[in-house]
Amino acid sequence: MNQTLLQVEGLTRFYGPLQAVKSMSFEVRQGEVLGFLGPNGAGKTTTMQMLTGNLAPSAGSVTVAGHDLLEDPRAAKAAVGYLPEQPPVYRELSVDEYLDYCAALNRIERSKRRAAREAAKEKCGLTQVGRRLIGNLSKGYQQRVGIAQAIIHLPPVIILDEPTAGLDPIQIREIRHLIRDLGRDHSVILSTHILPEVQSVCTRVQIINKGELVLSDSIEGLAQRMQSSMLTVRFRQAPDRDTLDRLPGVTKSETRDDGSWRLYHDPATDPAEALVTLSVERGWGLTALIPQQASLEDIFVELTTEETAPAEAKA
Amino acid sequence: MNRMILTLARHELRRLFLSPLAWTILAVVQLIMAWMFLSHLDYYLAVQSRLMGMEGEHGVTASVVAPLFGNSAIVLLLVVPLISMRLFTEERRNKTLALLFSAPLSMTEIVLGKYLGLLSFLWLQLLLIVLMPLSLLAGGGLDFGLLAAGVLGLALLLAGFAAVGLFMSTLTQHQTVAAVATFGALLLFWILDWAGEGVGGGVLAYLSLLNHYEPFLRGVFDTRDAVYHLLFITVFLALSVRRLDMDRLGG
């Protein structure tokens, strides 16, 4: 059931002297929705183009459902559905005409094309617009046509490049819902720079920066990483650092410019209770106790900004 | 033939006819060719009696159809760039090329499919042109051998034009650039034989499209001419496949 559908090893891409993707390796299993997160220009699109055979890698290999993309491109490509950043639609065709053509391109037998087209339309909420010209549809619907095109041949792996870019909030919600549904039967890889999107649809996250994978974790792991956080506390009469460090669970403490303290602690043991008790006993005058959770944004910024990230974040 | 190539060709042809350009070109070319045909015919009828007494081939086929085909070649040389320019440039510009590249198709299938689509259009144009001389059957006979040679020659010539046009459209994102480049290349191939007797003159003259089209109009079918055209087509199609592969490889 949980077999590996996409295997990437040492994927590298040069544009001239510029190394856009640096020896990237990862796997996607069946039923996973993998979020590809990274700032603009991090190499997300380049990676996706290589996964779908639109761009030849400078080095490395891609295996889709057991077929090597370079050695057996036909079988590998048949197992992938791809929605590029801009949906590859012909504006002068109607939705039905276009999807029939896509079905034919993906070698669906003539007798089964109609059924495939209707099923894809059904999934993407396009049943009402089958006869309309794609050029006359709104951006959100064009995006759906793009997704319908990617899933019409029921590929095991679906790759979506920024599927919600340029949509309004309601459309974004609908597309996310659709992606979650797709994740049940297919493996989905989607790229985005919108952080909540990852939290709401993905089961696994990979953060990519300057062509390198800097983080690869499940959503649960990420949630844990976010919890393992800190308390911000403020005292009228601060105790010395040693006392704070000896509190149960505290791993590190530091003073801040505004006179408050930051206590980093183990996610398993929350020192808040002990801290309050001690404060009352010894008269430290605790005035503020704010539990703080790192957000995905903090992690993202930490991993992708120029300054060297603290060592523990990389662990 | 490969089913995928036919799918691509049919799609290409359908999209051509969804745009007004294809209809306009068919109509305008037909109008001009009809005008030429009628003036050739008019001239022929005027001098017919004098030709009777002369030596050599002066039937209606040689006097009307051959010049008509000769002129068609020039007119189509001007027109083919206009219709071929959008083949790959448009796909590239609208980013629809990704659809073809990520489908389970080989590059050769993509190129041949598009080529066949364009060629069907051009051969349809050829058919419309041939209908005019055929209409003469209503009032007399035709030299079918000569006519067939002419049709074959023009069909091969158009296939060559289409291959050059297709190649040029893979080079750029801009339709006009593709059109100008195609026109330039075709015209150059047409007039290569103008190179005098100087160094390489013979080779250049041999490479000229005109020199391999003209015999067909005289009713001479030489396999060497046919092979020249087939090689010409193959070279440009192969270059197109290579160029598209470079899209994936280069950066």
Side-chain angles (χ1 to χ4, degrees):
Chain A
M1 181 61 197
N2 244 350
Q3 78 214 81
T4 304
L5 286 180
L6 180 74
Q7 194 161 13
V8 177
E9 263 169 46
L11 200 62
T12 302
R13 172 74 201 192
F14 284 93
Y15 288 116
L18 175 77
Q19 197 172 8
V21 173
K22 295 171 190 165
S23 188
M24 198 180 285
S25 302
F26 60 90
E27 283 184 3
V28 184
R29 298 177 161 279
Q30 189 171 3
E32 272 187 330
V33 180
L34 173 66
F36 233 65
L37 204 59
N40 290 327
K44 290 178 301 215
T45 298
T46 304
T47 308
M48 298 199 141
Q49 284 176 337
M50 286 193 284
L51 298 184
T52 54
N54 278 268
L55 202 62
S58 309
S61 74
V62 177
T63 313
V64 188
H67 306 284
D68 190 296
L69 186 61
L70 296 175
E71 274 156 31
D72 190 3
R74 185 164 295 183
K77 283 179 178 179
V80 178
Y82 175 45
L83 169 70
E85 244 172 315
Q86 201 179 329
V89 293
Y90 298 100
R91 303 174 57 84
E92 66 272 30
L93 295 186
S94 76
V95 173
D96 282 350
E97 286 172 332
Y98 173 69
L99 290 178
D100 282 343
Y101 174 58
C102 296
L105 281 186
N106 282 297
R107 296 169 189 273
I108 297 176
E109 283 170 46
R110 191 177 291 272
S111 57
K112 293 179 186 156
R113 271 179 218 164
R114 197 188 157 83
R117 181 234 292 168
E118 291 306 319
K121 271 162 65 185
E122 174 84 42
K123 276 186 206 158
C124 300
L126 291 165
T127 34
Q128 303 296 318
V129 296
R131 310 194 59 177
R132 293 194 36 199
L133 291 186
I134 296 176
N136 294 342
L137 295 175
S138 67
K139 178 90 175 69
Y141 270 102
Q142 289 188 8
Q143 196 77 15
R144 287 185 203 204
V145 175
I147 297 179
Q149 162 274 125
I151 64 173
I152 193 160
H153 53 302
L154 303 174
V157 180
I158 300 173
I159 297 181
L160 309 170
D161 198 348
E162 307 215 348
T164 57
L167 302 186
D168 71 36
I170 297 171
Q171 291 169 332
I172 289 181
R173 259 184 40 179
E174 288 168 354
I175 297 276
R176 284 184 191 164
H177 193 78
L178 173 62
I179 294 171
R180 262 198 301 267
D181 283 349
L182 291 175
R184 260 178 242 139
D185 304 320
H186 312 259
S187 292
V188 182
I189 303 179
L190 67 101
S191 82
T192 180
H193 52 251
I194 307 167
L195 303 167
E197 190 155 291
V198 171
Q199 277 165 312
S200 71
V201 298
C202 298
T203 57
R204 207 149 65 78
V205 184
Q206 291 189 339
I207 297 183
I208 167 175
N209 187 39
K210 295 193 177 149
E212 277 176 299
L213 273 184
V214 288
L215 176 133
S216 175
D217 208 341
S218 65
I219 277 285
E220 292 81 21
L222 202 67
Q224 218 165 41
R225 199 183 281 256
M226 289 189 279
Q227 270 170 18
S228 65
S229 188
M230 58 193 174
L231 293 170
T232 300
V233 290
R234 205 187 289 268
F235 305 101
R236 206 166 296 129
Q237 265 178 334
D240 55 67
R241 181 181 295 249
D242 275 357
T243 326
L244 289 177
D245 280 351
R246 262 182 272 118
L247 282 170
V250 171
T251 53
K252 198 180 114 187
S253 64
E254 60 187 34
T255 40
R256 317 235 317 148
D257 295 341
D258 60 355
S260 66
W261 287 74
R262 271 205 170 164
L263 302 182
Y264 295 90
H265 63 82
D266 197 25
T269 35
D270 188 347
E273 205 177 331
L275 182 71
V276 174
T277 321
L278 269 182
S279 164
V280 173
E281 275 174 15
R282 305 196 184 167
W284 292 340
L286 182 68
T287 56
L289 175 73
I290 309 158
Q292 282 192 334
Q293 257 204 355
S295 62
L296 182 55
E297 194 173 332
D298 292 333
I299 297 178
F300 180 73
V301 169
E302 203 169 302
L303 290 173
T304 54
T305 38
E306 200 64 50
E307 289 85 38
T308 45
E312 71 263 30
K314 275 195 174 160
Chain B
M1 195 184 301
N2 186 313
R3 206 155 46 85
M4 298 317 292
I5 296 178
L6 286 181
T7 302
L8 283 160
R10 208 176 309 125
H11 174 74
E12 194 58 38
L13 200 59
R14 166 191 282 191
R15 283 189 45 241
L16 257 176
F17 279 110
L18 282 177
S19 76
L21 182 68
W23 297 102
T24 316
I25 286 181
L26 284 182
V28 170
V29 170
Q30 192 67 6
L31 187 74
I32 291 176
M33 294 325 298
W35 179 256
M36 286 183 172
F37 173 63
L38 290 177
S39 31
H40 282 308
L41 195 62
D42 206 33
Y43 180 72
Y44 174 72
L45 291 176
V47 298
Q48 192 181 19
S49 50
R50 264 183 287 158
L51 286 174
M52 294 274 234
M54 289 166 75
E55 287 282 307
E57 288 240 23
H58 295 291
V60 68
T61 317
S63 312
V64 175
V65 179
L68 178 74
F69 278 13
N71 291 336
S72 299
I74 305 285
V75 171
L76 289 170
L77 188 145
L78 297 170
V79 164
V80 167
L82 294 178
I83 199 88
S84 72
M85 65 182 183
R86 39 173 292 292
L87 280 175
F88 278 101
T89 47
E90 197 181 55
E91 300 255 5
R92 198 169 281 185
R93 191 152 250 215
N94 295 340
K95 316 264 181 208
T96 45
L97 214 46
L99 186 70
L100 299 177
F101 281 3
S102 36
L105 300 170
S106 71
M107 213 55 95
T108 313
E109 283 172 328
I110 296 175
V111 166
L112 286 181
K114 288 234 162 220
Y115 177 67
L116 200 65
L118 175 65
L119 199 55
S120 320
F121 174 81
L122 294 176
W123 281 355
L124 179 70
Q125 179 87 68
L126 173 63
L127 182 73
L128 288 179
I129 293 173
V130 173
L131 284 179
M132 291 190 286
L134 283 182
S135 70
L136 292 178
L137 283 176
L142 281 176
D143 178 348
F144 281 106
L146 191 53
L147 181 68
V151 171
L152 182 64
L154 193 52
L156 283 173
L157 190 71
L158 284 177
F161 285 0
V164 174
L166 181 110
F167 172 61
M168 292 302 175
S169 82
T170 62
L171 293 181
T172 166
Q173 285 205 11
H174 304 279
Q175 300 198 355
T176 37
V177 174
V180 170
T182 308
F183 173 68
L186 290 181
L187 193 62
L188 194 66
F189 270 110
W190 196 254
I191 59 173
L192 267 184
D193 70 323
W194 288 6
E197 296 299 307
V199 184
V203 178
L204 289 178
Y206 181 76
L207 284 176
S208 163
L209 273 172
L210 179 63
N211 282 348
H212 294 277
Y213 176 50
E214 215 264 319
F216 283 102
L217 297 185
R218 283 188 275 116
V220 179
F221 176 78
D222 188 336
T223 33
R224 277 175 303 176
D225 291 327
V227 167
Y228 165 86
H229 282 290
L230 293 178
L231 273 178
F232 188 83
I233 295 162
T234 314
V235 164
F236 278 99
L237 290 184
L239 284 175
S240 308
V241 172
R242 255 194 84 74
R243 174 67 185 94
L244 287 176
D245 259 328
M246 288 291 288
D247 255 18
R248 297 191 318 122
L249 298 169

